[in-house]
Amino acid sequence: MSTLNKSSMEVLNDVGLCQEKGETLFKKNCPHCYSEKVKIHSHYQTKGNGERKMFICQKCRCYFAETHGTVIAGIETPLSEIVKVLNARMEGMGLNAAVRTFGYSKKTILNWEKKLSRLQETLFLYGLVNEFVKLVIEGDELYTKVRKNEEASASQGWTIVLMERASRFIWHLKCGKKEQKLFLEAMMTIAELFERSTESLQLFTDGEKRYSQLLFDICHEVWKTGKRGRPSKVLPKGLVIRLKNKSSKRRDAEGKLKKVETPKPEHPETTEKPEEKDVHANHVEALNSVIRRCLSAYRRRTNTYAKSVGGLQRVLDIFWIVHNFVRPHFTTRKVPAVALGILEKGLTWEDLLQIRLLC
């Protein structure tokens, strides 16, 4: 069930991403032997970014630059120019419009975006090693076209969003065809979060039953009552799933319309029972409109749609990074990672570009 295996944890410790907050993201460990015993060896001058440092490892005696393994490693363009372009892209500007506005080639901008999108895995694992008391997750799907206009059922532009309600932290933002594999990846993330939650985890979705079925297949328990017959399967203690009913045919025994469904049997010792008024995905629905505003690939009735699934996922990964770690949310007035307790303060664009990648 766990996707965060031992090797991933070791890699996190190697690059300095542990459960401590703050400057652990910017530790300058040796990239060869991962030792922390490093010191400044010399300084060198760059064309557009001023003076930078060269380090030497006192253990293996290897030299490395302070930008080694970061997004801006080997890039001569001034940092301020890269930030302007990427920030404009995350405010809804299309790729071709960015080329015309800032004067950089399409290949150059795509190269910057590809490097930055690789940081998503690093920050996701950094967030996942924290422990959380209680999590309330809202789930929903978002649709756009990819490559050409076709039937929604055949499009590869379906995007699953899983967002923590209180902090507005997005835990899952992946695109693909609306099939079993896409939903399974999302439920594996929920299973990981359940392992990191010390009290309870609640999942609320807008009527898609595959969420509950796949999560039940991934993690369930056998409840033995001592009675004869096969023991029943239930969700683990503390895990709650609720579906918002969207069909007029689903009614209770008295014939009344069921607004909320409990799709799978819960553990008898689960005490956290949400009220019916709390079962909604309003916050993630509002996020969907933000995504359509901030990402040109999700704009309706335009030709700025993504030309490939990889390209669509690239901009989604960058949006995930910026939404969770850079921009304060307009309702909570806090950066989601700060509100959730992952960071003590939000990151700047310059900070992002100087974080070392996992690979």
Side-chain angles (χ1 to χ4, degrees), residues 295-327:
L295 299 182
S296 60
Y298 285 86
R299 207 72 49 75
R300 298 178 186 272
R301 298 189 182 94
T302 66
N303 62 350
T304 59
Y305 54 86
K307 304 307 182 288
S308 66
V309 180
L312 183 61
Q313 189 60 58
R314 182 189 70 249
V315 295
L316 284 174
D317 287 342
I318 299 175
F319 177 84
W320 183 94
I321 294 169
V322 175
H323 172 91
N324 286 336
F325 293 90
V326 178
R327 292 177 182 162

Side-chain angles (χ1 to χ4, degrees), residues 15 79 110 140 265 313 326:
V15 297
L79 215 58
L110 285 176
D140 199 12
Q313 189 60 58
V326 178

Side-chain angles (χ1 to χ4, degrees), residues 109-309:
I109 297 177
L110 285 176
N111 183 47
W112 295 343
E113 291 187 357
K114 287 175 182 177
K115 286 188 174 183
L116 182 58
S117 66
R118 289 169 54 200
L119 191 61
Q120 191 271 344
E121 181 185 2
T122 303
L123 294 175
F124 175 76
L125 292 177
Y126 180 75
L128 201 58
V129 296
N130 290 268
E131 286 192 352
F132 310 99
V133 178
K134 179 182 176 181
L135 293 173
V136 179
I137 307 294
E138 296 182 8
D140 199 12
E141 305 87 44
L142 184 64
Y143 164 75
T144 186
K145 55 186 177 182
V146 174
R147 192 179 297 110
K148 60 181 179 179
N149 195 9
E150 56 188 349
E151 293 293 331
S153 58
S155 175
Q156 294 180 310
W158 283 96
T159 305
I160 291 184
V161 186
L162 297 177
M163 186 177 73
E164 205 279 322
R165 176 177 289 177
S167 64
R168 308 300 200 271
F169 189 92
I170 302 174
W171 278 109
H172 190 86
L173 191 62
K174 300 293 182 182
C175 66
K177 279 191 174 182
K178 194 176 181 181
E179 53 189 22
Q180 202 83 336
K181 181 182 177 181
L182 186 65
F183 287 88
L184 182 60
E185 291 178 357
M187 291 303 98
M188 289 296 289
T189 301
I190 292 293
E192 290 288 356
L193 291 175
F194 179 66
E195 290 184 354
R196 308 306 301 174
S197 178
T198 57
E199 287 188 9
S200 66
L201 186 147
Q202 299 177 0
L203 173 64
F204 302 144
T205 69
D206 269 359
E208 179 59 69
K209 286 200 169 184
R210 272 183 285 194
Y211 289 114
S212 56
Q213 182 60 54
L214 289 171
L215 186 56
F216 188 76
D217 293 339
I218 293 171
C219 55
H220 63 265
E221 296 181 6
V222 177
W223 178 249
K224 297 180 180 180
T225 59
K227 298 180 180 179
R228 295 182 64 183
R230 181 177 298 175
S232 59
K233 295 180 181 179
V234 297
L235 290 168
K237 181 181 177 181
L239 181 59
V240 175
I241 305 176
R242 292 289 187 274
L243 297 182
K244 186 178 177 181
N245 183 17
K246 286 189 172 182
S247 173
S248 60
K249 297 181 180 180
R250 297 170 187 169
R251 301 180 180 273
D252 57 18
E254 298 178 358
K256 295 181 179 179
L257 186 66
K258 295 168 62 177
K259 295 183 179 179
V260 175
E261 288 189 54
T262 305
K264 295 296 176 182
E266 297 169 357
H267 198 285
E269 297 178 8
T270 298
T271 56
E272 290 284 345
K273 302 291 184 180
E275 297 183 14
E276 188 172 295
K277 63 181 180 63
D278 295 326
V279 182
H280 61 79
N282 297 342
H283 300 90
V284 75
E285 288 282 3
L287 176 70
N288 289 348
S289 64
V290 173
I291 292 176
R292 293 196 182 279
R293 177 181 63 82
C294 292
L295 299 182
S296 60
Y298 285 86
R299 207 72 49 75
R300 298 178 186 272
R301 298 189 182 94
T302 66
N303 62 350
T304 59
Y305 54 86
K307 304 307 182 288
S308 66
V309 180

